[in-house]
């Protein structure tokens, strides 16, 4: 976040950091090893290093930006959406500045083809290095690009994970299933709307346009809106995809909170607004605690999606106890007969002889047999 503090402002950056720490969605999905959290990080690294290059013109920042793009591509196929939104945001920001008669940061001097080509080569090299398994699989990078055909084929959902266009917005704005509490990240969304509005209000300092204080928020505004539109339009939806735009929303929300305090000029009213925002932020923190510790496996929690119930941990502990009294220990044969076996492969990873069947096999006996309820009678 310090890398973008001169674009958002220090106070806005601190508020954004606080909101990111309190966002139930960001905290909840950071608990899991899931590609989306890595993609969020690498995308923000791309934005931050690109901003530093625009500000300083130092080639090292361009190379780091290229490396971040390579890491994005090596992380998840949905990076295409982020890259497209980044490109759109850059073009729109430059067009806006050109139409308003400014030349931001002498950008033409930054568009040096040698630096940009070298950055692209660094990004491609990082991606190829990872997809080739550090040069152990020559066809890995080729297969990585071929995989996008599968991705485009799954985008319509094919009847699985299909949700309405407002699924993400509803999840973030308001969700309530008694007896669990109300879930809402409306504070972040409303402050982000204020940040988007503030980003497009012309501000001048000493008669000159303060481009550094407006270009980055404008860029983030277009980028974030583009992500929301595209992710909402795609029928295939899973809740953790929302964090792709929740993270930039927190940046805009920090900018919006400071802008709101500037609008309210009287110190007494500023103090009242600040106290209200702190109270609402505390409520966000309470939701994060509830989502991550008290209701982390309850399906009334809007962030829970395909999480295993807590009983699986007790089952794993019981199988470990059986291994302590078995003469074969973790070499004991275990048969898992279930129509859907996950997440047992993770919890039984210490056992060397585990077999999995989706239907009942002819020879199903073993020292330890785990069977799902729907197949137990058979």
């Amino acid at each position: 976040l310090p890398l973008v503090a001169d674009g958002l402002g220090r106070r806005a950056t601190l508020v954004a950091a606080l909101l990111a720490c309190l966002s139930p969605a960001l905290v909840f999905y950071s608990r899991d090893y899931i590609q989306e959290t890595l993609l969020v990080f690498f995308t923000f690294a791309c934005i931050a290093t690109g901003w530093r290059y625009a500000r300083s013109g130092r080639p090292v920042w361009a190379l780091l930006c290229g490396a971040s793009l390579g890491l994005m591509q090596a992380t998840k196929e949905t990076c295409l959406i982020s890259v497209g939104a980044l490109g759109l945001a850059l073009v729109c920001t430059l067009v806006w500045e050109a139409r308003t008669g400014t030349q931001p940061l002498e950008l033409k001097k930054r568009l040096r083809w040698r630096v940009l080509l070298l950055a692209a080569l660094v990004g491609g090299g990082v991606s190829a290095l990872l997809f080739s398994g550090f040069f152990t699989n020559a066809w890995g990078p080729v297969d990585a690009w071929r995989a996008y055909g599968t991705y485009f084929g799954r985008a319509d959902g094919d009847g699985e994970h299909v949700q309405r266009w407002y699924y993400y917005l509803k999840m973030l704005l308001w969700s309530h299933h008694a007896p669990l509490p109300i879930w809402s990240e409306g504070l972040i969304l409303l402050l982000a709307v204020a940040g988007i509005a503030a980003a497009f209000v012309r501000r001048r300092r000493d008669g000159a346009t303060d481009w550094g204080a407006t270009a980055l928020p404008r860029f983030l505004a277009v980028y974030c809106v583009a992500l929301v539109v595209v992710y909402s339009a795609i029928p295939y939806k899973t809740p953790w995809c929302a964090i792709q735009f929740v993270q930039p929303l927190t940046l805009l929300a920090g900018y919006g909170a400071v802008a709101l305090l500037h609008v309210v000029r009287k110190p007494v009213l500023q103090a009242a607004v600040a106290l209200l925002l702190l109270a609402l932020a505390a409520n966000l923190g309470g939701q994060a605690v509830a989502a991550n510790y008290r209701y982390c496996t309850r399906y009334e929690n809007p962030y829970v999606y395909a999480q295993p119930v807590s009983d699986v941990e007790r089952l794993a502990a019981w199988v470990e106890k059986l291994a302590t009294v078995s003469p074969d220990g973790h070499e004991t044969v275990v048969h898992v007969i279930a129509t859907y076996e996950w997440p047992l492969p993770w919890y039984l990873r210490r056992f060397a002889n585990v077999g999995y069947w989706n239907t009942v096999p002819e020879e199903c006996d073993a020292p330890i047999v785990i069977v799902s309820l729907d197949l137990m009678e058979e």
Side-chain angles (χ1 to χ4, degrees):
L1 281 172
L3 297 179
V4 297
D6 59 344
L8 292 175
R10 291 184 178 180
R11 286 182 293 176
T13 304
L14 288 173
V15 175
L18 175 64
L19 292 175
C21 291
L22 297 178
S23 166
L26 291 179
V27 177
F28 187 83
Y29 294 118
S30 68
R31 300 169 72 239
D32 301 331
Y33 180 75
I34 187 170
Q35 261 59 38
E36 275 71 17
T37 54
L38 298 175
L39 182 57
V40 166
F41 175 79
F42 293 136
T43 303
F44 180 61
C46 175
I47 294 172
T49 53
W51 173 250
R52 293 264 49 88
Y53 176 66
R55 294 290 280 178
S56 67
R58 296 177 59 189
V60 64
W61 291 114
L63 301 184
L64 289 173
C65 183
S68 299
L69 282 169
L71 289 167
M72 288 170 60
Q73 200 263 334
T75 298
K76 202 170 191 295
E77 71 280 357
T78 47
C79 71
L80 288 181
I81 300 175
S82 299
V83 171
L86 290 171
L88 177 65
L90 179 60
V91 171
C92 289
T93 302
L94 295 178
V95 169
W96 175 275
E97 296 298 329
R99 289 179 64 87
T100 53
T102 60
Q103 293 183 351
L105 301 179
E106 299 180 335
L107 191 65
K108 290 182 180 180
K109 293 183 179 180
R110 306 289 187 254
L111 299 178
R112 290 175 285 178
W113 69 269
R114 292 181 180 178
V115 175
L116 298 180
L117 177 60
L118 187 57
L121 291 175
V122 169
V126 168
S127 174
L129 178 68
L130 294 172
F131 275 118
S132 67
F134 292 87
F135 307 115
T136 61
N137 177 16
W139 285 101
V142 177
D143 291 336
W145 287 101
R146 291 174 57 197
Y148 285 109
T150 302
Y151 169 59
F152 287 120
R154 293 179 59 192
D156 60 0
D158 293 330
E160 185 180 11
H161 307 293
V162 173
Q163 305 288 349
R164 295 182 180 272
W165 69 267
Y166 53 79
Y167 171 76
Y168 293 123
L169 295 176
K170 181 179 182 298
M171 180 185 78
L172 294 172
L173 277 173
W174 183 272
S175 182
H176 179 55
H177 299 280
L180 268 64
I182 295 172
W183 311 91
S184 175
E185 300 195 39
L187 173 65
I188 294 176
L189 270 69
L190 292 176
L191 288 178
V193 170
I196 292 173
F200 289 93
V201 173
R202 303 287 298 169
R203 294 195 296 169
R204 295 182 178 274
R205 179 182 299 169
D206 299 328
T209 301
D210 180 19
W211 186 84
T214 56
L216 183 59
R218 286 172 184 163
F219 175 90
L220 290 171
V222 177
Y223 168 67
C224 192
V225 170
L227 285 183
V228 172
V229 170
V230 173
Y231 275 104
S232 297
I234 296 174
Y236 183 99
K237 293 180 176 67
T238 50
W240 46 80
C241 288
I243 65 174
Q244 300 304 317
F245 51 83
V246 171
Q247 190 272 336
L249 279 174
T250 61
L251 298 174
L252 289 167
Y255 190 73
V258 174
L260 187 61
L261 291 174
H262 277 296
V263 171
V264 184
R265 296 183 179 277
K266 293 184 178 181
V268 175
L269 292 178
Q270 284 184 335
V273 171
L275 288 174
L276 176 61
L277 293 179
L278 284 173
L280 294 174
N283 176 263
L284 270 183
Q287 292 182 53
V289 171
N292 287 278
Y293 293 100
R294 294 166 58 189
Y295 307 115
C296 57
T297 60
R298 292 283 295 271
Y299 278 83
E300 297 89 345
N301 177 347
Y303 307 107
V304 169
Y305 193 87
Q307 263 82 3
V309 295
S310 57
D311 287 346
V312 71
E313 295 179 333
R314 290 194 286 271
L315 174 61
W318 179 248
V319 176
E320 287 288 342
K321 286 183 178 180
L322 293 177
T324 61
V325 297
S326 169
D328 296 324
H330 286 97
E331 300 291 328
T332 302
V333 176
V334 181
H335 286 182
V336 178
I337 307 169
T339 51
Y340 187 76
E341 69 276 8
W342 288 98
L344 286 178
W346 168 258
Y347 288 98
L348 301 179
R349 63 190 183 279
R350 296 181 63 189
F351 287 82
N353 299 309
V354 185
Y356 296 93
W357 290 267
N358 298 126
T359 58
V360 179
E362 294 182 3
E363 298 293 334
C364 59
D365 195 20
I368 301 176
V369 180
I370 301 173
V371 60
S372 59
L373 289 175
D374 57 330
L375 297 176
M376 186 166 60
E377 182 177 356
E378 183 181 355

